[in-house]
Amino acid sequence: MSSSALPRISDDARRARLGSRHLLAPAHRAAAVEDVADALVGLHATDAATVYLSACARLAEPDPAEVERGLYDDVTLVKLLSMRRTIFAVSTEVAPAVEFSTARGIARRERAALLKALGEAWDERRLAEAEEAALAALAARGEATTAELAEDVPALREKITTSPGKPYESRQSVGSRVLRLLASDGHVRRSRPRGSWTSSLYSWAPAPRIPELPEREARAELVRRWLASYGPSTEADLKWWTGWSLRDTRAALADTGAVGVRLDRGPGLALPDDLDPVEPAGDWAALLPGLDPTAMGWRERDWYLDPEHVPFLFDRAGNIGPTVWWNGRIVGGWAQRANGEIVWRALADAGRDAAAAVEAEAGRLAAWLGDVRVTPRFRTPLERELVR
């Protein structure tokens, strides 16, 4: 089929999908955190606060307790080091696809990197002994921080130098790396933090085993879910989002039966049953946190983000900060000041209706945050300027 004969899906049509599929339009907000995670395939969890802010932006009744229920009470959300070597919180339904398409390969590379960093004083046998001792200590305690486990396992107290000779050279405990490796291998999980939900000081707990899924099947399932949430999109977007090789990306796309489409900016791909127009979800505004899955869902972002606004909203490592959305476009950024006030700035004039809707969302966010103060882990120029 010639490219001119392929179905065309415009940028407007792609933006129309965001309001409903990403649960951002008020009529499409969810009741449960698992539904939010599944709608986005997974929630970014590198920054502890992002999971809560992303989920509550999409919950009909935003409440951190609902997120904690999924993460720590019912354990229906699990955190996996996976796509792009980033931590994602995914539902137990999606976990097998993420684990066996992506996380297992990363775990193997993490193990090799740790053995290299440990040097001649350690080998595979000594590392295995330290892991077994850490798991035994954790089983005895039920839950424990890395420091608490190091009290029981002396090997975990040793130090290693990372990035020797580099400006960012640092000393790390063996324990922090071993526990991270055990989490990558699916033996332990991050449990409730010590402190508020914004804290990154968390305990470890034994993890339930994730049901096995053949790697090829897992990749196809992950791509199917990604296209259903983020499609139509491009091969380059999917390769970037997953962190896979081009060969693996193309093979998984073929296994889903994805079909070619014409996007405003070139060729794209969609699920074969996702070619019909989508009704707009009505006007909507959203204040999304740094690293939100919608903002970080694609490599090619010009259809929802003006390239001139990138220097204001991203840090030097490519992490996006807090963003203001109007009907599928990023139109500004926001921040929380020390007194709790939510402030925002438009980078594009979206009109009076947009400004009123954003103000309402800012009020909604401030109301459920209450006395909690949130500072993004990766700070951006606009966010820093707004809190001055």
Side-chain angles (χ1 to χ4, degrees), residues 254-266:
D255 285 342
T256 66
V259 298
V261 296
R262 286 183 299 142
L263 304 176
D264 284 356
R265 301 164 196 276

Side-chain angles (χ1 to χ4, degrees), residues 289-371:
L291 299 180
D292 185 83
T294 301
M296 293 290 286
W298 301 265
R299 181 184 180 187
E300 301 169 1
R301 305 180 176 111
D302 290 3
W303 59 278
Y304 65 89
L305 173 62
D306 187 331
E308 293 185 358
H309 299 160
V310 168
F312 300 95
L313 298 170
F314 285 77
D315 70 6
R316 293 181 179 179
N319 300 302
I320 198 167
T323 51
V324 174
W325 292 69
W326 174 247
N327 290 343
R329 295 179 190 269
I330 296 177
V331 296
W334 66 273
Q336 184 188 37
R337 290 182 173 158
N339 63 1
E341 180 186 8
I342 303 297
V343 292
W344 65 282
R345 179 180 300 168
L347 296 173
D349 183 6
R352 296 170 65 179
D353 288 346
V358 172
E359 282 293 337
E361 280 303 299
R364 179 174 178 263
L365 174 58
W368 75 259
L369 281 176
D371 295 333

Side-chain angles (χ1 to χ4, degrees), residues 172-193:
Q172 292 183 348
S173 72
V174 170
S176 64
R177 295 290 296 271
V178 168
L179 268 295
R180 176 174 172 148
L181 185 60
L182 288 170
S184 297
D185 280 337
H187 296 297
V188 303
R189 64 179 178 87
R190 293 164 177 82
S191 189
R192 196 180 301 273

Side-chain angles (χ1 to χ4, degrees), residues 1-4 6-9 11 14 226-227 232-238 250 253 259-270 300 303:
M1 183 184 294
S2 68
S3 60
S4 61
L6 293 174
R8 179 176 178 271
I9 301 178
D11 287 351
R14 296 176 77 186
W226 186 82
L227 281 174
S233 193
T234 68
E235 179 184 87
D237 284 329
L238 176 61
R250 288 177 172 172
L253 280 165
V259 298
V261 296
R262 286 183 299 142
L263 304 176
D264 284 356
R265 301 164 196 276
L269 294 157
E300 301 169 1
W303 59 278

